[in-house]
Amino acid sequence: MGGLKVLKPFAKRYAVLVSAFFLSMVLIYCIPSSWIQGNVDRSLEVMEMEGERPMYAFYRHTAIVDNHTDMAMYHGLIPNREEYNLIQKAVSINQYPRYWHGYQVVLRPLSVVFEVQELRYLGMLLFYLLFFISAWLVAKRAGLLRAVFYVLTVASAYLVVVTTCFQYLTTFYVLFGALICLLTKTDTGRDRDVFLFFFSVGMIENFFDFLTYPIITLGIPLILLLWLRVRDGQSGFGGNFRLTFGASASWGIGYALCWISKWILATAALGFESFWQTMTIARYRLQGNEEDPVDRLWMLRRNLKAWMNVQDGGIITWSKVALLFALVMLALILWRKLRDRGRILACLPMLMVAAYPYLWYLVLANHSQIHFWYTYRAQLVTMFGLLMFGAGILRGKQEPGAPKEQ
């Protein structure tokens, strides 16, 4: 009975969120397509003129705008099968049923009034507003230096590109919202509350996600939470390891359950053919095929080079020098602080989380290999983890928000 009592809030949260996701998708299809057809057509004309993968400023594969996916999002706003009822339209999204397509809950109503140029502008404003609020809260709870680390991490993702691509924006919105909730509402001292929080974040991210770089919605909040616990002396290695494992498992279960729920709903509404199509694509994403064989080592190299802004020719760039400098500084800090082994051990789970992007790449190797030009942003978790680990093992002056020494 004790185990069932522990699982009850998770089951309740799951039921509430899946119901909300499903009902919201059905309700937005009550909007007549004729209300949005003109704005959708004009928006598609703009993106077709720009091209499927334009490069506006940097002219590097790490700064590509994914108009291909954004156009697919816009095409999905207008159902192409009039014989479908509301539920079938909501789960099919023009024969693209393997994702929830939660962006439609926002994009479809707004398309009644706005075209893509206006929505990009509004999306950019919302991005920077949420980014500012989350950075301010990080500074308030964790100190200015940690806020600088956070800002540098997010800013390294080519924000001028991120803020003009709807596919890129959604995951950052979930990240910012998660950080704001974590730093204002979540009881970070109770493990069960933390696990329920990450379970919810995983579900919400899956509702909007296209496998873009979802791991940042787990890794960055978790690393920040671990740093706060180390600063406050709440737990050593054992406690932080258990928290890392529990939070990661909760996020992963929430993400997976939400995704499986969509497959079940799509199968119920569209038939088993939809399910087998989804399973075929899932196997392709995991294993590749004869036309796109998976080369995991090559895939890791492509994502690493993209993150480090290294050109295909392998020339020396500032990013290589910066990375080498950071590794040397980290080694020196570790050597200097080796005597404080308890603090170092308490911080080690941050390095574990910093490795999550590479685990994600290895599992979803096919997707990460083909779409490395945006999946490389998952390594923001690695950057933030290394910076926060370095800060975590240093003892400095009293930090803002830390308990005062007796």
Side-chain angles (χ1 to χ4, degrees), residues 47 49-67 158 160-161 164 168 309 372-373 377:
M47 288 185 281
M49 180 180 62
E50 294 170 339
E52 289 196 345
R53 295 186 175 92
M55 292 183 283
Y56 295 127
F58 296 97
Y59 299 97
R60 304 290 291 274
H61 56 248
T62 49
I64 292 174
V65 178
D66 189 9
N67 272 357
Y158 282 95
V160 68
V161 173
T164 56
Y168 296 165
N309 199 28
F372 73 98
W373 41 275
R377 291 186 177 92

PDB file of all heavy atoms in Angstrom, residues 47 49-67 158 160-161 164 168 309 372-373 377:
ATOM      1  N   MET A  47       8.049  31.167 -46.321  1.00  0.00           N
ATOM      2  CA  MET A  47       9.061  30.171 -45.986  1.00  0.00           C
ATOM      3  C   MET A  47       9.582  29.451 -47.224  1.00  0.00           C
ATOM      4  O   MET A  47      10.771  29.107 -47.294  1.00  0.00           O
ATOM      5  CB  MET A  47       8.492  29.179 -44.964  1.00  0.00           C
ATOM      6  CG  MET A  47       8.326  29.798 -43.584  1.00  0.00           C
ATOM      7  SD  MET A  47       7.778  28.629 -42.307  1.00  0.00           S
ATOM      8  CE  MET A  47       6.024  28.562 -42.670  1.00  0.00           C
ATOM      9  N   MET A  49       9.904  30.836 -50.126  1.00  0.00           N
ATOM     10  CA  MET A  49      10.809  31.798 -50.737  1.00  0.00           C
ATOM     11  C   MET A  49      12.166  31.804 -50.020  1.00  0.00           C
ATOM     12  O   MET A  49      13.220  31.932 -50.655  1.00  0.00           O
ATOM     13  CB  MET A  49      10.190  33.195 -50.694  1.00  0.00           C
ATOM     14  CG  MET A  49      11.050  34.291 -51.310  1.00  0.00           C
ATOM     15  SD  MET A  49      10.232  35.913 -51.214  1.00  0.00           S
ATOM     16  CE  MET A  49      10.105  36.126 -49.421  1.00  0.00           C
ATOM     17  N   GLU A  50      12.142  31.637 -48.702  1.00  0.00           N
ATOM     18  CA  GLU A  50      13.387  31.616 -47.925  1.00  0.00           C
ATOM     19  C   GLU A  50      14.185  30.334 -48.163  1.00  0.00           C
ATOM     20  O   GLU A  50      15.416  30.339 -48.089  1.00  0.00           O
ATOM     21  CB  GLU A  50      13.061  31.730 -46.425  1.00  0.00           C
ATOM     22  CG  GLU A  50      12.458  33.049 -46.015  1.00  0.00           C
ATOM     23  CD  GLU A  50      11.942  33.039 -44.592  1.00  0.00           C
ATOM     24  OE1 GLU A  50      11.676  31.931 -44.058  1.00  0.00           O
ATOM     25  OE2 GLU A  50      11.801  34.122 -43.996  1.00  0.00           O
ATOM     26  N   GLY A  51      13.502  29.245 -48.437  1.00  0.00           N
ATOM     27  CA  GLY A  51      14.157  27.954 -48.601  1.00  0.00           C
ATOM     28  C   GLY A  51      13.950  27.071 -47.391  1.00  0.00           C
ATOM     29  O   GLY A  51      13.573  27.539 -46.306  1.00  0.00           O
ATOM     30  N   GLU A  52      14.196  25.769 -47.557  1.00  0.00           N
ATOM     31  CA  GLU A  52      13.941  24.819 -46.472  1.00  0.00           C
ATOM     32  C   GLU A  52      14.922  24.952 -45.321  1.00  0.00           C
ATOM     33  O   GLU A  52      14.571  24.711 -44.162  1.00  0.00           O
ATOM     34  CB  GLU A  52      13.975  23.386 -47.012  1.00  0.00           C
ATOM     35  CG  GLU A  52      12.789  23.034 -47.900  1.00  0.00           C
ATOM     36  CD  GLU A  52      12.661  21.539 -48.091  1.00  0.00           C
ATOM     37  OE1 GLU A  52      13.631  20.801 -47.793  1.00  0.00           O
ATOM     38  OE2 GLU A  52      11.578  21.094 -48.529  1.00  0.00           O
ATOM     39  N   ARG A  53      16.155  25.308 -45.602  1.00  0.00           N
ATOM     40  CA  ARG A  53      17.159  25.416 -44.537  1.00  0.00           C
ATOM     41  C   ARG A  53      18.048  26.636 -44.784  1.00  0.00           C
ATOM     42  O   ARG A  53      19.232  26.517 -45.095  1.00  0.00           O
ATOM     43  CB  ARG A  53      18.004  24.139 -44.466  1.00  0.00           C
ATOM     44  CG  ARG A  53      17.178  22.914 -44.065  1.00  0.00           C
ATOM     45  CD  ARG A  53      18.032  21.680 -43.861  1.00  0.00           C
ATOM     46  NE  ARG A  53      17.219  20.571 -43.377  1.00  0.00           N
ATOM     47  CZ  ARG A  53      16.628  19.674 -44.150  1.00  0.00           C
ATOM     48  NH1 ARG A  53      16.758  19.763 -45.471  1.00  0.00           N
ATOM     49  NH2 ARG A  53      15.906  18.695 -43.638  1.00  0.00           N
ATOM     50  N   PRO A  54      17.491  27.829 -44.614  1.00  0.00           N
ATOM     51  CA  PRO A  54      18.274  29.041 -44.876  1.00  0.00           C
ATOM     52  C   PRO A  54      19.301  29.311 -43.783  1.00  0.00           C
ATOM     53  O   PRO A  54      19.152  28.879 -42.639  1.00  0.00           O
ATOM     54  CB  PRO A  54      17.206  30.139 -44.904  1.00  0.00           C
ATOM     55  CG  PRO A  54      16.110  29.610 -44.025  1.00  0.00           C
ATOM     56  CD  PRO A  54      16.103  28.120 -44.238  1.00  0.00           C
ATOM     57  N   MET A  55      20.342  30.043 -44.160  1.00  0.00           N
ATOM     58  CA  MET A  55      21.363  30.505 -43.218  1.00  0.00           C
ATOM     59  C   MET A  55      21.444  32.026 -43.374  1.00  0.00           C
ATOM     60  O   MET A  55      21.934  32.524 -44.388  1.00  0.00           O
ATOM     61  CB  MET A  55      22.717  29.852 -43.511  1.00  0.00           C
ATOM     62  CG  MET A  55      22.754  28.369 -43.230  1.00  0.00           C
ATOM     63  SD  MET A  55      24.383  27.619 -43.496  1.00  0.00           S
ATOM     64  CE  MET A  55      24.416  27.525 -45.293  1.00  0.00           C
ATOM     65  N   TYR A  56      20.963  32.745 -42.359  1.00  0.00           N
ATOM     66  CA  TYR A  56      20.795  34.180 -42.501  1.00  0.00           C
ATOM     67  C   TYR A  56      22.070  34.981 -42.254  1.00  0.00           C
ATOM     68  O   TYR A  56      22.381  35.911 -42.988  1.00  0.00           O
ATOM     69  CB  TYR A  56      19.718  34.685 -41.540  1.00  0.00           C
ATOM     70  CG  TYR A  56      18.342  34.150 -41.827  1.00  0.00           C
ATOM     71  CD1 TYR A  56      17.588  33.527 -40.844  1.00  0.00           C
ATOM     72  CD2 TYR A  56      17.785  34.259 -43.096  1.00  0.00           C
ATOM     73  CE1 TYR A  56      16.321  33.042 -41.107  1.00  0.00           C
ATOM     74  CE2 TYR A  56      16.519  33.773 -43.376  1.00  0.00           C
ATOM     75  CZ  TYR A  56      15.787  33.172 -42.372  1.00  0.00           C
ATOM     76  OH  TYR A  56      14.538  32.687 -42.636  1.00  0.00           O
ATOM     77  N   ALA A  57      22.793  34.674 -41.215  1.00  0.00           N
ATOM     78  CA  ALA A  57      23.882  35.552 -40.796  1.00  0.00           C
ATOM     79  C   ALA A  57      25.241  34.863 -40.744  1.00  0.00           C
ATOM     80  O   ALA A  57      26.233  35.415 -41.212  1.00  0.00           O
ATOM     81  CB  ALA A  57      23.557  36.151 -39.421  1.00  0.00           C
ATOM     82  N   PHE A  58      25.298  33.661 -40.172  1.00  0.00           N
ATOM     83  CA  PHE A  58      26.586  33.044 -39.898  1.00  0.00           C
ATOM     84  C   PHE A  58      27.074  32.139 -41.029  1.00  0.00           C
ATOM     85  O   PHE A  58      28.253  31.827 -41.112  1.00  0.00           O
ATOM     86  CB  PHE A  58      26.516  32.246 -38.594  1.00  0.00           C
ATOM     87  CG  PHE A  58      26.247  33.106 -37.391  1.00  0.00           C
ATOM     88  CD1 PHE A  58      24.955  33.243 -36.895  1.00  0.00           C
ATOM     89  CD2 PHE A  58      27.274  33.791 -36.770  1.00  0.00           C
ATOM     90  CE1 PHE A  58      24.704  34.046 -35.801  1.00  0.00           C
ATOM     91  CE2 PHE A  58      27.032  34.590 -35.667  1.00  0.00           C
ATOM     92  CZ  PHE A  58      25.741  34.722 -35.180  1.00  0.00           C
ATOM     93  N   TYR A  59      26.157  31.682 -41.859  1.00  0.00           N
ATOM     94  CA  TYR A  59      26.497  30.832 -42.997  1.00  0.00           C
ATOM     95  C   TYR A  59      27.322  29.615 -42.576  1.00  0.00           C
ATOM     96  O   TYR A  59      28.348  29.299 -43.157  1.00  0.00           O
ATOM     97  CB  TYR A  59      27.217  31.654 -44.077  1.00  0.00           C
ATOM     98  CG  TYR A  59      26.357  32.764 -44.589  1.00  0.00           C
ATOM     99  CD1 TYR A  59      26.478  34.055 -44.103  1.00  0.00           C
ATOM    100  CD2 TYR A  59      25.360  32.501 -45.534  1.00  0.00           C
ATOM    101  CE1 TYR A  59      25.645  35.079 -44.550  1.00  0.00           C
ATOM    102  CE2 TYR A  59      24.527  33.520 -45.989  1.00  0.00           C
ATOM    103  CZ  TYR A  59      24.672  34.802 -45.493  1.00  0.00           C
ATOM    104  OH  TYR A  59      23.846  35.803 -45.938  1.00  0.00           O
ATOM    105  N   ARG A  60      26.848  28.990 -41.505  1.00  0.00           N
ATOM    106  CA  ARG A  60      27.439  27.750 -41.006  1.00  0.00           C
ATOM    107  C   ARG A  60      26.324  26.748 -40.765  1.00  0.00           C
ATOM    108  O   ARG A  60      25.182  27.126 -40.494  1.00  0.00           O
ATOM    109  CB  ARG A  60      28.197  27.996 -39.681  1.00  0.00           C
ATOM    110  CG  ARG A  60      29.275  29.060 -39.747  1.00  0.00           C
ATOM    111  CD  ARG A  60      30.466  28.599 -40.564  1.00  0.00           C
ATOM    112  NE  ARG A  60      31.186  27.545 -39.884  1.00  0.00           N
ATOM    113  CZ  ARG A  60      32.144  27.766 -38.975  1.00  0.00           C
ATOM    114  NH1 ARG A  60      32.462  28.994 -38.621  1.00  0.00           N
ATOM    115  NH2 ARG A  60      32.785  26.760 -38.419  1.00  0.00           N
ATOM    116  N   HIS A  61      26.646  25.465 -40.846  1.00  0.00           N
ATOM    117  CA  HIS A  61      25.596  24.476 -40.638  1.00  0.00           C
ATOM    118  C   HIS A  61      25.058  24.488 -39.214  1.00  0.00           C
ATOM    119  O   HIS A  61      24.001  23.926 -38.942  1.00  0.00           O
ATOM    120  CB  HIS A  61      26.108  23.070 -41.005  1.00  0.00           C
ATOM    121  CG  HIS A  61      27.342  22.665 -40.273  1.00  0.00           C
ATOM    122  ND1 HIS A  61      28.557  22.508 -40.893  1.00  0.00           N
ATOM    123  CD2 HIS A  61      27.564  22.390 -38.967  1.00  0.00           C
ATOM    124  CE1 HIS A  61      29.462  22.139 -40.007  1.00  0.00           C
ATOM    125  NE2 HIS A  61      28.878  22.061 -38.845  1.00  0.00           N
ATOM    126  N   THR A  62      25.767  25.116 -38.287  1.00  0.00           N
ATOM    127  CA  THR A  62      25.285  25.226 -36.908  1.00  0.00           C
ATOM    128  C   THR A  62      24.283  26.357 -36.732  1.00  0.00           C
ATOM    129  O   THR A  62      23.737  26.518 -35.644  1.00  0.00           O
ATOM    130  CB  THR A  62      26.465  25.450 -35.954  1.00  0.00           C
ATOM    131  OG1 THR A  62      27.279  26.508 -36.466  1.00  0.00           O
ATOM    132  CG2 THR A  62      27.298  24.205 -35.824  1.00  0.00           C
ATOM    133  N   ALA A  63      24.055  27.132 -37.777  1.00  0.00           N
ATOM    134  CA  ALA A  63      23.134  28.266 -37.684  1.00  0.00           C
ATOM    135  C   ALA A  63      22.040  28.167 -38.738  1.00  0.00           C
ATOM    136  O   ALA A  63      21.578  29.173 -39.264  1.00  0.00           O
ATOM    137  CB  ALA A  63      23.895  29.578 -37.825  1.00  0.00           C
ATOM    138  N   ILE A  64      21.621  26.940 -39.044  1.00  0.00           N
ATOM    139  CA  ILE A  64      20.564  26.721 -40.030  1.00  0.00           C
ATOM    140  C   ILE A  64      19.197  26.923 -39.373  1.00  0.00           C
ATOM    141  O   ILE A  64      18.964  26.473 -38.254  1.00  0.00           O
ATOM    142  CB  ILE A  64      20.658  25.297 -40.614  1.00  0.00           C
ATOM    143  CG1 ILE A  64      21.934  25.152 -41.462  1.00  0.00           C
ATOM    144  CG2 ILE A  64      19.430  24.963 -41.444  1.00  0.00           C
ATOM    145  CD1 ILE A  64      22.175  23.738 -41.946  1.00  0.00           C
ATOM    146  N   VAL A  65      18.305  27.588 -40.080  1.00  0.00           N
ATOM    147  CA  VAL A  65      16.909  27.698 -39.659  1.00  0.00           C
ATOM    148  C   VAL A  65      16.138  26.537 -40.284  1.00  0.00           C
ATOM    149  O   VAL A  65      16.184  26.343 -41.497  1.00  0.00           O
ATOM    150  CB  VAL A  65      16.302  29.041 -40.099  1.00  0.00           C
ATOM    151  CG1 VAL A  65      14.833  29.123 -39.696  1.00  0.00           C
ATOM    152  CG2 VAL A  65      17.075  30.207 -39.496  1.00  0.00           C
ATOM    153  N   ASP A  66      15.442  25.790 -39.468  1.00  0.00           N
ATOM    154  CA  ASP A  66      14.757  24.594 -39.959  1.00  0.00           C
ATOM    155  C   ASP A  66      13.372  24.952 -40.506  1.00  0.00           C
ATOM    156  O   ASP A  66      12.338  24.580 -39.934  1.00  0.00           O
ATOM    157  CB  ASP A  66      14.652  23.558 -38.847  1.00  0.00           C
ATOM    158  CG  ASP A  66      14.155  22.210 -39.353  1.00  0.00           C
ATOM    159  OD1 ASP A  66      14.073  22.056 -40.593  1.00  0.00           O
ATOM    160  OD2 ASP A  66      13.831  21.346 -38.532  1.00  0.00           O
ATOM    161  N   ASN A  67      13.344  25.660 -41.634  1.00  0.00           N
ATOM    162  CA  ASN A  67      12.067  25.978 -42.273  1.00  0.00           C
ATOM    163  C   ASN A  67      11.343  24.725 -42.748  1.00  0.00           C
ATOM    164  O   ASN A  67      10.115  24.724 -42.869  1.00  0.00           O
ATOM    165  CB  ASN A  67      12.302  26.908 -43.468  1.00  0.00           C
ATOM    166  CG  ASN A  67      12.300  28.372 -43.065  1.00  0.00           C
ATOM    167  OD1 ASN A  67      12.067  28.710 -41.908  1.00  0.00           O
ATOM    168  ND2 ASN A  67      12.570  29.252 -44.016  1.00  0.00           N
ATOM    169  N   TYR A 158      23.219  30.064 -30.659  1.00  0.00           N
ATOM    170  CA  TYR A 158      22.850  30.878 -31.823  1.00  0.00           C
ATOM    171  C   TYR A 158      21.413  31.376 -31.682  1.00  0.00           C
ATOM    172  O   TYR A 158      20.521  31.003 -32.449  1.00  0.00           O
ATOM    173  CB  TYR A 158      22.990  30.087 -33.130  1.00  0.00           C
ATOM    174  CG  TYR A 158      24.395  29.938 -33.632  1.00  0.00           C
ATOM    175  CD1 TYR A 158      25.142  28.801 -33.323  1.00  0.00           C
ATOM    176  CD2 TYR A 158      24.988  30.915 -34.427  1.00  0.00           C
ATOM    177  CE1 TYR A 158      26.438  28.650 -33.795  1.00  0.00           C
ATOM    178  CE2 TYR A 158      26.291  30.775 -34.908  1.00  0.00           C
ATOM    179  CZ  TYR A 158      27.010  29.640 -34.583  1.00  0.00           C
ATOM    180  OH  TYR A 158      28.288  29.497 -35.043  1.00  0.00           O
ATOM    181  N   VAL A 160      19.944  34.098 -32.372  1.00  0.00           N
ATOM    182  CA  VAL A 160      19.339  34.799 -33.505  1.00  0.00           C
ATOM    183  C   VAL A 160      18.644  33.810 -34.436  1.00  0.00           C
ATOM    184  O   VAL A 160      17.669  34.155 -35.120  1.00  0.00           O
ATOM    185  CB  VAL A 160      20.410  35.610 -34.275  1.00  0.00           C
ATOM    186  CG1 VAL A 160      21.397  34.708 -34.978  1.00  0.00           C
ATOM    187  CG2 VAL A 160      19.749  36.566 -35.277  1.00  0.00           C
ATOM    188  N   VAL A 161      19.117  32.564 -34.446  1.00  0.00           N
ATOM    189  CA  VAL A 161      18.494  31.515 -35.245  1.00  0.00           C
ATOM    190  C   VAL A 161      17.345  30.866 -34.468  1.00  0.00           C
ATOM    191  O   VAL A 161      16.258  30.641 -35.015  1.00  0.00           O
ATOM    192  CB  VAL A 161      19.535  30.452 -35.639  1.00  0.00           C
ATOM    193  CG1 VAL A 161      18.879  29.272 -36.318  1.00  0.00           C
ATOM    194  CG2 VAL A 161      20.601  31.059 -36.544  1.00  0.00           C
ATOM    195  N   THR A 164      13.885  32.563 -34.465  1.00  0.00           N
ATOM    196  CA  THR A 164      13.145  32.706 -35.715  1.00  0.00           C
ATOM    197  C   THR A 164      12.635  31.360 -36.233  1.00  0.00           C
ATOM    198  O   THR A 164      12.143  31.289 -37.355  1.00  0.00           O
ATOM    199  CB  THR A 164      14.024  33.348 -36.809  1.00  0.00           C
ATOM    200  OG1 THR A 164      15.210  32.568 -36.990  1.00  0.00           O
ATOM    201  CG2 THR A 164      14.407  34.767 -36.431  1.00  0.00           C
ATOM    202  N   TYR A 168      12.595  25.214 -32.947  1.00  0.00           N
ATOM    203  CA  TYR A 168      13.638  25.440 -31.952  1.00  0.00           C
ATOM    204  C   TYR A 168      13.082  26.099 -30.691  1.00  0.00           C
ATOM    205  O   TYR A 168      13.578  25.863 -29.588  1.00  0.00           O
ATOM    206  CB  TYR A 168      14.726  26.342 -32.526  1.00  0.00           C
ATOM    207  CG  TYR A 168      15.493  25.789 -33.700  1.00  0.00           C
ATOM    208  CD1 TYR A 168      16.276  26.621 -34.496  1.00  0.00           C
ATOM    209  CD2 TYR A 168      15.453  24.438 -34.034  1.00  0.00           C
ATOM    210  CE1 TYR A 168      16.994  26.128 -35.579  1.00  0.00           C
ATOM    211  CE2 TYR A 168      16.166  23.936 -35.113  1.00  0.00           C
ATOM    212  CZ  TYR A 168      16.935  24.786 -35.888  1.00  0.00           C
ATOM    213  OH  TYR A 168      17.646  24.303 -36.953  1.00  0.00           O
ATOM    214  N   ASN A 309      31.764  24.655 -32.993  1.00  0.00           N
ATOM    215  CA  ASN A 309      31.859  25.593 -34.116  1.00  0.00           C
ATOM    216  C   ASN A 309      33.108  25.338 -34.955  1.00  0.00           C
ATOM    217  O   ASN A 309      33.762  26.264 -35.430  1.00  0.00           O
ATOM    218  CB  ASN A 309      31.856  27.038 -33.610  1.00  0.00           C
ATOM    219  CG  ASN A 309      31.504  28.027 -34.695  1.00  0.00           C
ATOM    220  OD1 ASN A 309      30.788  27.703 -35.640  1.00  0.00           O
ATOM    221  ND2 ASN A 309      32.015  29.239 -34.581  1.00  0.00           N
ATOM    222  N   PHE A 372      22.180  16.586 -37.029  1.00  0.00           N
ATOM    223  CA  PHE A 372      23.196  17.105 -36.111  1.00  0.00           C
ATOM    224  C   PHE A 372      23.219  18.622 -36.084  1.00  0.00           C
ATOM    225  O   PHE A 372      23.646  19.231 -35.080  1.00  0.00           O
ATOM    226  CB  PHE A 372      24.582  16.592 -36.520  1.00  0.00           C
ATOM    227  CG  PHE A 372      25.125  17.237 -37.769  1.00  0.00           C
ATOM    228  CD1 PHE A 372      26.011  18.292 -37.679  1.00  0.00           C
ATOM    229  CD2 PHE A 372      24.732  16.805 -39.033  1.00  0.00           C
ATOM    230  CE1 PHE A 372      26.509  18.904 -38.823  1.00  0.00           C
ATOM    231  CE2 PHE A 372      25.226  17.404 -40.182  1.00  0.00           C
ATOM    232  CZ  PHE A 372      26.112  18.459 -40.085  1.00  0.00           C
ATOM    233  N   TRP A 373      22.782  19.275 -37.134  1.00  0.00           N
ATOM    234  CA  TRP A 373      22.861  20.732 -37.226  1.00  0.00           C
ATOM    235  C   TRP A 373      21.885  21.441 -36.288  1.00  0.00           C
ATOM    236  O   TRP A 373      21.937  22.660 -36.160  1.00  0.00           O
ATOM    237  CB  TRP A 373      22.651  21.195 -38.672  1.00  0.00           C
ATOM    238  CG  TRP A 373      21.577  20.481 -39.416  1.00  0.00           C
ATOM    239  CD1 TRP A 373      21.687  19.294 -40.091  1.00  0.00           C
ATOM    240  CD2 TRP A 373      20.219  20.889 -39.557  1.00  0.00           C
ATOM    241  NE1 TRP A 373      20.475  18.949 -40.639  1.00  0.00           N
ATOM    242  CE2 TRP A 373      19.573  19.904 -40.343  1.00  0.00           C
ATOM    243  CE3 TRP A 373      19.494  21.995 -39.122  1.00  0.00           C
ATOM    244  CZ2 TRP A 373      18.226  19.996 -40.681  1.00  0.00           C
ATOM    245  CZ3 TRP A 373      18.151  22.083 -39.454  1.00  0.00           C
ATOM    246  CH2 TRP A 373      17.532  21.089 -40.216  1.00  0.00           C
ATOM    247  N   ARG A 377      22.661  21.146 -30.038  1.00  0.00           N
ATOM    248  CA  ARG A 377      22.327  22.047 -28.926  1.00  0.00           C
ATOM    249  C   ARG A 377      22.024  21.286 -27.636  1.00  0.00           C
ATOM    250  O   ARG A 377      21.982  21.905 -26.564  1.00  0.00           O
ATOM    251  CB  ARG A 377      21.138  22.931 -29.311  1.00  0.00           C
ATOM    252  CG  ARG A 377      21.473  23.953 -30.390  1.00  0.00           C
ATOM    253  CD  ARG A 377      20.301  24.904 -30.645  1.00  0.00           C
ATOM    254  NE  ARG A 377      20.653  25.920 -31.613  1.00  0.00           N
ATOM    255  CZ  ARG A 377      20.462  25.818 -32.927  1.00  0.00           C
ATOM    256  NH1 ARG A 377      19.920  24.704 -33.421  1.00  0.00           N
ATOM    257  NH2 ARG A 377      20.810  26.791 -33.738  1.00  0.00           N
TER     258      ARG A 377
END
